[in-house]
Amino acid sequence: MEKLQKTLQEWQDMLDPAQYQVCRLKGTERPFSGKYNATTTDGVYHCICCHEPLFDSQTKFDAGCGWPSFYAPIADNAMIEIRDVSHGMIRTEVTCGKCDAHLGHVFPDGPPPTGLRYCINSVCLDLVPR
């Protein structure tokens, strides 16, 4: 996949402050505050920064954690996993495979068939209904 690269200023000009804070500065939104946490709309979730498809709504489930959760990305190259040792924890960060936007983290406590829980910030996503 060809990478999309912009300067931080270009990202800041393009994104709203919350999107910029999470996607480019690796922030997080408060639990249960995101617009997609409880949605059940059928469609495809795209990266807010580059519009690359990331998740199909058919893989979304209610993990009760306060963020939209999915058990699988839409494609193997949709995201990159990075070891994250910030905040005194060892986690796996997930970023967009095309533009490197911070999306959230993946945990090994999800449902079958993968056993994974991709815990993603709503502000990073744009849901395109089917």
Side-chain angles (χ1 to χ4, degrees), residues 55-103:
F55 298 99
D56 190 290
S57 64
Q58 294 178 357
T59 66
K60 189 174 188 282
F61 68 99
D62 183 4
C65 63
W67 291 274
S69 296
F70 305 85
Y71 63 77
I74 202 162
D76 289 341
N77 65 349
M79 55 199 59
I80 297 167
E81 295 185 5
I82 302 165
R83 185 172 184 203
D84 177 2
V85 295
S86 64
H87 306 292
M89 298 178 273
I90 298 174
R91 303 178 291 175
T92 302
E93 175 189 11
V94 288
T95 62
C96 176
K98 184 171 183 177
C99 72
D100 296 325
H102 170 77
L103 303 171

Side-chain angles (χ1 to χ4, degrees), residues 6-15 20 24:
K6 295 180 183 236
T7 66
L8 283 179
Q9 186 61 56
E10 289 172 316
W11 288 120
Q12 196 167 22
D13 292 344
M14 182 184 129
L15 302 169
Y20 181 76
R24 305 325 305 181

